[in-house]
Amino acid sequence: MNSSIGDVKPQTMDFEEPLLLKCGDTLSNYQLTFETYGALNDDKTNAVLVCHALNASHHVAGTYDGDEKTLGWWDNLIGPGKPLDTNRFFVIGVNNLGGCHGSTGPSTINAATNEPWGSAFPMVTVEDWVETQARLATKLGIDIFAAVMGGSLGGMQALQWTIDQPNRINNAVIVAAAPKLSAQNIAFNEVARQAITLDNEFFDGDFYQHKAIPRSGLKIARMIGHITYLSDDTMDVKFGRTLRKDSLKFNFDTDFQIESYLRYQGDKFADTFDANTYLRITKALDYFDPAAKCSGNLAESLSHAEANFLVISFTSDWRFSPSRSEEIVEALVANKLNVSYAEIDSPNGHDAFLMDEPIYHNLISAYFERIWNERCDV
Amino acid sequence: MNSSIGDVKPQTMDFEEPLLLKCGDTLSNYQLTFETYGALNDDKTNAVLVCHALNASHHVAGTYDGDEKTLGWWDNLIGPGKPLDTNRFFVIGVNNLGGCHGSTGPSTINAATNEPWGSAFPMVTVEDWVETQARLATKLGIDIFAAVMGGSLGGMQALQWTIDQPNRINNAVIVAAAPKLSAQNIAFNEVARQAITLDNEFFDGDFYQHKAIPRSGLKIARMIGHITYLSDDTMDVKFGRTLRKDSLKFNFDTDFQIESYLRYQGDKFADTFDANTYLRITKALDYFDPAAKCSGNLAESLSHAEANFLVISFTSDWRFSPSRSEEIVEALVANKLNVSYAEIDSPNGHDAFLMDEPIYHNLISAYFERIWNERCDV
């Protein structure tokens, strides 16, 4: 019990049905990379879709080739005996369209040109992702998800599922999310995008053909993002003003631990993530605003939702503060939907959704226990 | 009354006495650019030094050549009949050493090489600035400042004055400051520095010789800074999710007003500010920590201070929140110093210190009224 699910292998699925994107472009075909954990039961009522956020992928749980360093990003939550128990549930992680971990995206080959898509890859939205995830579910024989779940941008996808696919989702678990970005949220994304697009190695998005990578821009983008994921308090407890050496250096090398930590995180990210994907995912975040179609009335946009909801926020999350989750909760309550809401006391900022916080994990566990039992009652 | 002081002219002062900097380097000579407003009285008891923050200069009040666009950065506070009344006080603004508005700095010519200093310009600290400001005061015949005043990094200089020059300052007015940066504060500065130093046009700080300017890096740095100066609420009220055009563009041009505002601010800054100065001032901010010499005990570091203090914070300032000002106040109270403290209710974030908020300005006005009256009582 409570062990990792062990080694896993990503799978791919080809889609030949044209996909009309919200931006107006059509993809004539595309591929999604995904992983599954646990087994789909005979009546296909135990499937759970886990949606990823800005920096993650379909690799939600388990390891590759026994390497603990390859542990999935939500492995502490998902596995045998874990809060989302893969002994009970069939869990799916999908690399979103436009991603850079296997699914068709800017860094994959465009069959029409036999070159990487690069700047020609269209803009993708949360709605597009929900559509592609629904198509994948259909191909896997899943009519209805027991739950769709995600943190941050992943939670936004879960919310969009309840709007776009109300008959195919029984529960939405929305963690550390918001119904739309604030001006400040957009501002941070825009600085990150400027850092990438102004990088000399970006070549207007067609850096692959130049054998270049806009590493500096990606690094800066990641450093900015990282600051917004941590709370001021966490940073002070974890790093404070601790120096790397005994004294100040009086140069532009790293004096403080927090500086070298951020540089390290930025460099690591620049080694593994695609700049065009980063640009598009931040735009998908900025564009997400389901209430916009209803003149800003979020409750109205959710008027056809039928799912039950678990909404969770964290006290020290200043990226998507508890008040942002409460906007979602209020819109759900206005629709007399079944919603559980918890504001978890945590010092860990936005990143708390990725951490093993006992009250948080117990809550997820209890919620999935209820889903499991209600499923048996049927 | 309450009019601008009108046209002003900057002055320069040459210093031939070698200056040993905290970094260990010595400047054999240097120049400071400064402005003065009002008249020094015969007994030289009415001088007020105004210290500038990261993005500003010696041009605190008034205009150049009648051009309203050149209004000084604190003109709303300083002038005839204004809270800091130039009919009474002799006010001095100094471009700090290492700056880029006239004082000796990285972009000025190094007499030893006849080239801009560039990367060879030493690191400067708040303590160095206080020393140079004190030397300027001496040359101007001012033994004791009626007050030293500043917001943000300017407030830190005022605090350092009470430690380094306790007999030469009667009052310290410290607005929207902190006794040291937090890890998060340092983190934002470090991202800005990385944006500049990773810019291909930076040339390790010697871009002048390459006829280059690291504009992209400066732009990113300024955009990051700007976000931290505004509150989340102000941004939402001022910009929200307002689009520039009627609909989303689905490209990487600016969709939202906040994006174009930040790009504009960034471009404007890149046109006028020196990258090497920006790097050094952010380091001076990071290094500022008067308590460090006393094992972190701020009260002990202030044990020789004699000034009276006015400390002001703003509720929505998340860069240097009220709790940071309260750290200063507690250390002053522990030393039984005369301190007035006000937390001003304002939605305008860190930038509130630059704005004409009536309660704030009335408070400054009342405090200088007291300084004036006490001066007459002497």
Side-chain angles (χ1 to χ4, degrees):
Chain A
M1 297 293 277
N2 289 320
S3 65
S4 169
I5 200 159
D7 271 3
V8 295
K9 278 197 193 304
Q11 307 168 55
T12 56
M13 184 80 80
D14 289 309
F15 297 81
E16 303 296 337
E17 310 81 0
L19 178 72
L20 174 61
L21 300 164
K22 286 289 155 190
C23 66
D25 288 8
T26 297
L27 281 177
S28 57
N29 60 74
Y30 55 95
Q31 192 177 65
L32 293 181
T33 294
F34 64 102
E35 289 179 11
T36 69
Y37 323 107
L40 187 62
N41 60 8
D42 290 341
D43 52 2
K44 298 175 177 176
T45 55
N46 71 335
V48 175
L49 174 67
V50 177
C51 304
H52 70 77
L54 181 51
N55 309 312
S57 73
H58 56 281
H59 183 44
V60 181
T63 49
Y64 295 146
D65 301 323
D67 182 358
E68 282 296 310
K69 285 187 197 149
T70 66
L71 211 60
W73 56 271
W74 227 347
D75 189 272
N76 61 22
L77 191 82
I78 297 164
K82 292 187 179 173
L84 175 44
D85 188 348
T86 51
N87 289 330
R88 290 176 165 176
F89 292 97
F90 177 64
V91 178
I92 305 173
V94 191
N95 186 215
N96 283 334
L97 186 71
C100 55
H101 291 97
S103 294
T104 299
S107 55
T108 61
I109 298 297
N110 178 357
T113 62
N114 215 28
E115 295 272 2
W117 277 92
S119 61
F121 197 83
M123 207 70 90
V124 286
T125 64
V126 170
E127 291 141 295
D128 298 325
W129 291 335
V130 168
E131 174 61 25
T132 55
Q133 291 158 356
R135 289 186 182 189
L136 175 65
T138 303
K139 290 222 181 202
L140 295 174
I142 298 158
D143 282 337
I144 302 177
F145 276 114
V148 177
M149 174 177 187
S152 192
L153 176 57
M156 293 170 173
Q157 293 164 64
L159 183 63
Q160 192 70 43
W161 259 89
T162 71
I163 296 170
D164 292 350
Q165 304 283 349
N167 304 317
R168 299 189 68 182
I169 171 173
N170 283 340
N171 292 274
V173 179
I174 299 167
V175 187
K180 64 185 176 199
L181 296 205
S182 69
Q184 190 191 65
N185 295 148
I186 295 171
F188 279 120
N189 281 345
E190 172 64 2
V191 183
R193 282 191 295 266
Q194 285 282 291
I196 290 170
T197 56
L198 292 174
D199 186 324
N200 283 5
E201 306 296 306
F202 181 63
F203 293 102
D204 289 330
D206 294 317
F207 49 88
Y208 318 97
Q209 286 88 327
H210 291 83
K211 307 269 182 263
I213 296 175
R215 281 187 53 85
S216 299
L218 268 170
K219 179 180 182 178
I220 302 298
R222 175 60 174 169
M223 289 172 77
I224 295 167
H226 210 90
I227 296 174
T228 69
Y229 304 150
L230 303 180
S231 71
D232 193 10
D233 285 350
T234 299
M235 271 204 189
D236 271 334
V237 170
K238 200 168 168 185
F239 303 103
R241 296 179 54 85
T242 308
L243 294 172
R244 295 193 64 214
K245 304 282 180 188
D246 287 342
S247 59
L248 298 173
K249 292 177 181 166
F250 293 104
N251 62 30
F252 297 108
D253 195 0
T254 52
D255 278 297
F256 297 94
Q257 294 283 9
I258 181 65
E259 295 174 297
S260 63
Y261 172 79
L262 283 178
R263 286 193 193 182
Y264 172 79
Q265 294 292 339
D267 283 329
K268 199 170 68 167
F269 189 70
D271 285 339
T272 57
F273 212 84
D274 178 70
N276 281 315
T277 290
Y278 200 83
L279 292 176
R280 280 161 182 75
I281 301 189
T282 58
K283 271 289 183 186
L285 270 162
D286 290 2
Y287 284 1
F288 179 71
D289 184 8
K293 282 180 197 148
C294 304
S295 309
N297 187 328
L298 184 63
E300 195 182 325
S301 74
L302 283 157
S303 60
H304 297 291
E306 297 178 12
N308 299 325
F309 289 80
L310 173 61
V311 180
I312 296 174
S313 67
F314 301 94
T315 48
S316 59
D317 182 352
W318 63 278
R319 182 177 170 84
F320 298 143
S321 71
S323 68
R324 311 306 314 279
S325 285
E326 286 157 25
E327 291 172 35
I328 298 172
V329 171
E330 280 162 25
L332 298 173
V333 169
N335 282 301
K336 298 192 174 21
L337 287 159
N338 190 345
V339 51
S340 303
Y341 172 59
E343 180 182 326
I344 307 281
D345 192 14
S346 162
N348 292 316
H350 189 60
D351 262 359
F353 90 85
L354 294 168
M355 295 183 187
D356 184 2
E357 310 229 4
I359 294 175
Y360 163 46
H361 274 200
N362 288 342
L363 193 65
I364 300 277
S365 189
Y367 194 79
F368 276 100
E369 180 80 21
R370 197 171 86 183
I371 294 177
W372 182 252
N373 291 337
E374 284 173 1
R375 180 200 138 278
C376 291
D377 290 345
V378 175
Chain B
M1 296 292 279
N2 288 318
S3 64
S4 169
I5 199 158
D7 271 2
V8 296
K9 279 197 191 304
Q11 307 169 55
T12 55
M13 183 81 79
D14 290 309
F15 296 81
E16 303 296 338
E17 311 80 0
L19 178 72
L20 174 62
L21 300 163
K22 286 289 155 190
C23 67
D25 288 7
T26 297
L27 281 177
S28 57
N29 58 75
Y30 56 95
Q31 190 175 65
L32 292 181
T33 294
F34 64 103
E35 288 178 12
T36 67
Y37 323 108
L40 186 62
N41 60 8
D42 290 341
D43 52 3
K44 298 176 178 177
T45 54
N46 70 335
V48 174
L49 174 68
V50 176
C51 304
H52 70 77
L54 181 50
N55 310 312
S57 74
H58 56 281
H59 183 44
V60 180
T63 50
Y64 295 146
D65 300 321
D67 182 357
E68 281 297 309
K69 286 186 195 149
T70 66
L71 211 59
W73 57 270
W74 227 347
D75 189 272
N76 61 21
L77 191 83
I78 297 165
K82 292 188 178 174
L84 174 44
D85 187 347
T86 51
N87 290 329
R88 290 176 166 177
F89 292 98
F90 176 65
V91 179
I92 306 172
V94 191
N95 186 214
N96 282 334
L97 186 71
C100 54
H101 291 97
S103 293
T104 299
S107 56
T108 61
I109 299 297
N110 178 356
T113 64
N114 216 26
E115 295 273 2
W117 277 91
S119 61
F121 196 84
M123 206 71 88
V124 285
T125 64
V126 170
E127 290 141 296
D128 297 326
W129 290 334
V130 169
E131 174 61 25
T132 55
Q133 290 158 356
R135 289 184 181 190
L136 176 65
T138 301
K139 290 219 182 204
L140 294 174
I142 299 158
D143 283 336
I144 302 177
F145 276 113
V148 178
M149 175 177 187
S152 193
L153 176 57
M156 293 170 173
Q157 293 164 63
L159 183 63
Q160 191 70 44
W161 259 90
T162 71
I163 296 170
D164 292 350
Q165 305 282 349
N167 304 317
R168 300 189 67 182
I169 171 173
N170 283 340
N171 292 274
V173 179
I174 300 168
V175 188
K180 64 187 176 199
L181 296 206
S182 69
Q184 189 190 68
N185 295 148
I186 295 171
F188 279 120
N189 281 345
E190 172 63 4
V191 183
R193 282 191 296 266
Q194 286 282 291
I196 291 170
T197 56
L198 293 174
D199 187 323
N200 283 5
E201 306 296 305
F202 181 63
F203 293 102
D204 290 329
D206 294 317
F207 48 88
Y208 318 97
Q209 286 88 330
H210 291 82
K211 308 268 181 259
I213 296 175
R215 280 188 54 86
S216 299
L218 267 170
K219 178 179 182 177
I220 302 298
R222 175 60 174 169
M223 290 172 78
I224 295 167
H226 210 90
I227 296 174
T228 70
Y229 305 150
L230 303 180
S231 73
D232 193 11
D233 284 350
T234 300
M235 271 203 188
D236 271 334
V237 170
K238 200 167 169 185
F239 303 102
R241 295 178 56 84
T242 309
L243 294 172
R244 296 193 64 215
K245 304 281 180 188
D246 287 341
S247 58
L248 298 173
K249 293 178 181 165
F250 293 105
N251 62 29
F252 298 107
D253 195 359
T254 52
D255 279 296
F256 297 94
Q257 295 282 11
I258 180 65
E259 296 174 296
S260 63
Y261 172 79
L262 283 178
R263 285 192 194 182
Y264 172 79
Q265 294 293 337
D267 283 328
K268 198 171 68 167
F269 190 70
D271 285 337
T272 56
F273 213 84
D274 177 71
N276 282 314
T277 290
Y278 200 83
L279 292 175
R280 281 160 182 75
I281 300 190
T282 59
K283 271 289 183 185
L285 271 162
D286 291 2
Y287 284 0
F288 179 70
D289 184 8
K293 282 181 196 149
C294 304
S295 310
N297 188 327
L298 184 63
E300 195 181 325
S301 75
L302 283 156
S303 60
H304 298 291
E306 297 178 14
N308 300 325
F309 289 80
L310 173 61
V311 180
I312 295 174
S313 67
F314 301 94
T315 48
S316 61
D317 182 353
W318 62 279
R319 181 178 171 85
F320 298 142
S321 70
S323 67
R324 311 306 314 280
S325 285
E326 286 157 23
E327 292 172 36
I328 298 172
V329 171
E330 281 163 24
L332 298 174
V333 169
N335 282 302
K336 298 190 175 17
L337 288 159
N338 191 346
V339 52
S340 303
Y341 172 59
E343 179 182 327
I344 307 282
D345 193 15
S346 162
N348 292 316
H350 189 60
D351 262 0
F353 90 84
L354 294 168
M355 294 182 188
D356 183 2
E357 311 231 4
I359 295 175
Y360 162 47
H361 274 200
N362 288 341
L363 194 64
I364 299 277
S365 189
Y367 194 79
F368 276 99
E369 180 79 23
R370 197 171 86 185
I371 294 177
W372 182 253
N373 291 336
E374 284 174 0
R375 181 200 136 279
C376 292
D377 291 344
V378 173

